[in-house]
């Protein structure tokens, strides 16, 4: 298994190109299941999760062809996905267990084929992550759903019908599933307390391009008019806001100065405000965002994760890594997932001072971190260890790099080009 080895102490300087968003690309690819016409997606990142989604869609009958994007082979891919005929309505355990986002095919298959069998994903490293809201929403649209042999078995013999559904809790995946189900349902669907993440807005724009009227884009109430069939469409994936925030924190950690090319400050407002409060400068440029910490120490700031537009849970571990070196203390509270602190014991092994109390972690800044052999079981936790390694004395080896490869395109190349001493050890 590959590992990443980092020798800490180098400042990051230069530029990093931000890839297309993983979490926007996955539902956008699933949207291809809704139509027998082609969907062309530009700026799809080259990541293991994208490959897994391609495999899942192919076994449902989607033809997928990939070409290098406008920027040549190095940056992003254009995918053409065409689901002329659905050959299987089953999403098998073998694929779903590798990637929870597979459950997104449920709504699209059910609305198009009137049936779907999707393996239940089970728990994962960051929490139990149930799918009850996906099920309740689809039932409100007329689906019958049972659990059999570890599979969700869904049927809608007369087709799904539009409904009004209020999410009892904000869920990104359930909102996406219901938006896609609504696209081919009879009548109008109104989703209240819908997630407002930029990835949801990107899916809404793509559905509109496919010929589905969607109202209330960017708000907590989405209104979707079902249509009998969708058109062909072309769509460009938004830049990855979590990758943008991650590199901003890496730059801050090394007191560096880097332009995040293609990054969008408007997608990371809350994280940017938090970083500024910690003493980091983030400014828009013609090509993206410039991040600098050229003078002064980092200050401890409190953070609470919340659904968008709040501070993203997907940047919590990286922010904690940064706070381990701040002056003063930072209280980091995780409200989205119940057990997303697996990075804490690993950061502690590098000399961090962190105490967990229920859903909060008190981080007291330390004058230095020391490199160590570390690992994590979630991609954001893994990258937080790499960030800590950039500022640690000596070598840090991050094991289980396949987690990083799920969500960060060419991490070692991007950091290496800015001066980090980082290498991938094969095997
Ligand atoms: C998406 O997961 C992202 N994944 C996650 O990113 C991200 O952390 C999360 O949204 C929150 O922003 C993708 O987009 C592929 P949720 P999702 O449904 O949709 C509970 C990463 O690192 N819940 O918004 O699965 C759930 O347990 C990943 O890239 C229910 O209770 O998240 C959680 O506590 C990790 N019942 C909360 O809601 C349900 O039916 C939010 O989950 C669904 C969710």
């Amino acid at each position: 298994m590959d590992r990443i080895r980092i020798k800490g102490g180098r400042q990051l300087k230069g530029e990093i190109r931000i890839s297309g968003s993983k979490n926007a690309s996955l539902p956008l690819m699933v949207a291809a299941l809704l139509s027998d016409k082609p969907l062309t997606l530009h700026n799809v990142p080259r990541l293991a999760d994208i490959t897994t989604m391609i495999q899942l869609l192919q076994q449902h009958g989607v033809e997928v062809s990939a070409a290098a994007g406008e920027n040549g082979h190095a940056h992003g891919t254009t995918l053409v996905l065409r689901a002329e005929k659905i050959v299987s309505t089953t999403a098998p355990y073998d694929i779903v267990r590798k990637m929870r986002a597979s459950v997104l095919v449920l709504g699209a298959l059910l609305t198009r084929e009137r049936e779907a069998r999707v393996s239940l994903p089970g728990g994962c490293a960051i929490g139990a992550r149930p799918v009850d809201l996906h099920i309740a929403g689809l039932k409100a649209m007329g689906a019958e759903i049972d659990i059999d042999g570890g599979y969700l078995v869904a049927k809608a013999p007369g087709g799904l019908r539009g409904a009004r559904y209020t999410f009892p809790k904000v869920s990104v995946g359930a909102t996406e599933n219901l938006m896609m189900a609504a696209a081919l349902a009879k009548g109008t669907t109104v989703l209240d307390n819908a997630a407002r993440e930029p990835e949801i807005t990107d899916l809404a724009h793509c559905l509109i391009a496919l010929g589905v009227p969607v109202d209330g884009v960017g708000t907590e109430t989405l209104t979707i008019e079902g249509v009998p069939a969708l058109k062909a469409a072309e769509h460009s994936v938004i830049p990855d806001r979590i990758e943008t925030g991650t590199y901003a924190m890496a730059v801050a950690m090394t007191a560096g100065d880097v332009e995040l090319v293609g990054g969008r400050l408007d997608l990371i407002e809350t994280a940017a405000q938090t970083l500024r409060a910690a003493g980091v400068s983030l400014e828009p440029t013609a090509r993206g965002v410039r991040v600098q910490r050229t003078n002064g120490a980092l200050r401890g700031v409190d953070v609470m994760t919340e659904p968008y537009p709040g501070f993203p849970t997907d940047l919590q571990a990286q922010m904690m890594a940064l706070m381990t070196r701040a002056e003063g203390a930072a209280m980091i509270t995780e409200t989205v997932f119940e057990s997303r602190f697996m990075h804490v014991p690993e950061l502690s092994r590098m000399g961090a001072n962190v105490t967990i109390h229920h859903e909060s972690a008190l981080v007291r800044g330390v004058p230095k971190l020391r490199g160590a052999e570390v690992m994590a079981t979630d991609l954001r936790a893994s990258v937080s260890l790499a960030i800590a390694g950039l500022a640690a004395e000596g070598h840090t080896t991050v094991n289980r790099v396949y987690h990083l490869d799920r969500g960060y395109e060419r991490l070692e190349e991007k950091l290496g080009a800015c001066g980090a001493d980082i290498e991938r050890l094969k095997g």
Side-chain angles (χ1 to χ4, degrees):
M1 263 187 262
D2 290 4
R3 291 167 298 153
I4 295 271
R5 189 167 64 188
I6 300 165
K7 184 158 182 281
R10 297 267 189 94
Q11 277 182 313
L12 296 179
K13 290 218 157 106
E15 61 179 63
I16 294 177
R17 177 173 281 278
I18 299 303
S19 298
S21 160
K22 165 181 85 82
N23 288 347
S25 298
L26 294 169
L28 289 168
M29 292 166 72
V30 173
L33 285 172
L34 293 168
S35 177
D36 60 355
K37 307 277 187 330
L39 172 62
T40 305
L41 295 175
H42 301 292
N43 200 32
V44 178
R46 293 160 179 270
L47 296 169
D49 273 10
I50 300 295
T51 309
T52 305
M53 183 55 88
I54 290 176
Q55 285 164 358
L56 178 64
L57 294 176
Q58 280 174 331
Q59 65 86 47
H60 290 307
V62 183
E63 279 170 36
V64 185
S65 56
E70 315 85 77
N71 302 311
H73 262 280
H75 307 296
T77 304
T78 293
L79 291 180
V80 183
L81 304 112
R82 182 164 197 181
E84 204 164 357
K85 195 170 162 14
I86 303 292
V87 298
S88 163
T89 52
T90 297
Y93 178 63
D94 260 4
I95 299 184
V96 180
R97 75 184 164 85
K98 274 203 256 172
M99 187 182 64
R100 294 184 51 93
S102 309
V103 81
L104 292 175
V105 301
L106 179 63
L109 288 172
L110 185 58
T111 201
R112 178 160 169 192
E113 296 295 309
R114 303 184 170 194
E115 59 165 46
R117 259 182 95 241
V118 176
S119 173
L120 276 162
C124 80
I126 61 176
R129 300 182 77 182
V131 289
D132 55 324
L133 306 178
H134 302 239
I135 297 173
L138 291 170
K139 281 187 173 169
M141 297 176 74
E144 295 158 22
I145 305 184
D146 279 326
I147 295 173
D148 185 26
Y151 278 73
L152 290 166
V153 182
K155 288 193 187 81
L160 291 178
R161 40 173 206 276
R164 182 159 201 139
Y165 181 72
T166 303
F167 292 98
K169 175 175 188 173
V170 177
S171 163
V172 175
T175 303
E176 291 164 345
N177 230 331
L178 292 194
M179 286 167 77
M180 289 191 270
L184 291 174
K186 267 187 226 119
T188 306
T189 299
V190 181
L191 302 176
D192 283 317
N193 199 26
R196 286 182 285 163
E197 268 66 6
E199 295 76 23
I200 301 278
T201 299
D202 210 28
L203 176 62
H205 287 146
C206 183
L207 287 175
I208 292 167
L210 285 160
V212 182
V214 183
D215 219 28
V217 178
T219 75
E220 60 180 35
T221 301
L222 292 169
T223 304
I224 301 139
E225 287 303 330
V227 293
L230 273 61
K231 308 188 285 205
E234 212 167 308
H235 179 85
S236 209
V237 179
I238 53 167
D240 197 312
R241 66 192 168 100
I242 304 301
E243 191 194 26
T244 309
T246 300
Y247 286 125
M249 289 168 194
V251 173
M253 188 64 155
T254 68
D257 181 352
V258 171
E259 186 177 15
L260 303 175
V261 177
R264 272 176 52 186
L265 206 43
D266 62 308
L267 300 181
I268 55 162
E269 279 291 334
T270 308
Q273 277 167 21
T274 310
L275 284 171
R276 286 187 187 115
V280 183
S281 149
L282 288 99
E283 294 299 330
T285 65
R287 299 191 303 166
V289 184
R290 182 173 178 193
V291 185
Q292 277 174 289
R293 181 169 74 85
T294 41
N295 46 26
L298 283 165
R299 290 186 291 273
V301 279
D302 294 345
V303 174
M304 185 185 288
T305 66
E306 281 173 325
Y308 193 84
F311 189 97
T313 172
D314 288 347
L315 285 174
Q316 180 258 110
Q318 301 89 313
M319 190 66 198
M320 188 184 297
L322 186 61
M323 291 293 96
T324 62
R325 295 280 286 107
E327 271 180 6
M331 178 72 88
I332 299 190
T333 304
E334 173 60 57
T335 73
V336 179
F337 289 108
E338 68 270 25
S339 56
R340 206 170 193 184
F341 280 144
M342 310 80 71
H343 40 288
V344 171
E346 299 298 300
L347 288 170
S348 301
R349 296 184 60 244
M350 298 177 72
N353 181 346
V354 187
T355 319
I356 300 179
H357 189 64
H358 301 299
E359 73 276 21
S360 292
L362 179 63
V363 186
R364 290 194 174 87
V366 292
K368 69 178 172 199
L369 296 173
R370 288 206 180 84
E373 191 147 342
V374 287
M375 65 173 194
T377 44
D378 155 66
L379 76 136
R380 310 302 173 189
S382 296
V383 86
S384 79
L385 302 175
I387 291 176
L390 290 171
E393 264 180 12
H395 285 100
T396 296
T397 308
V398 184
N399 289 295
R400 301 198 179 172
V401 168
Y402 57 86
H403 289 294
L404 287 172
D405 292 337
R406 290 186 58 181
Y408 291 93
E409 190 176 5
R410 301 178 296 111
L411 176 92
E412 67 278 19
E413 265 179 57
K414 290 190 184 190
L415 288 173
C418 289
D421 188 339
I422 182 168
E423 61 178 332
R424 179 180 289 252
L425 308 174
K426 291 273 178 198

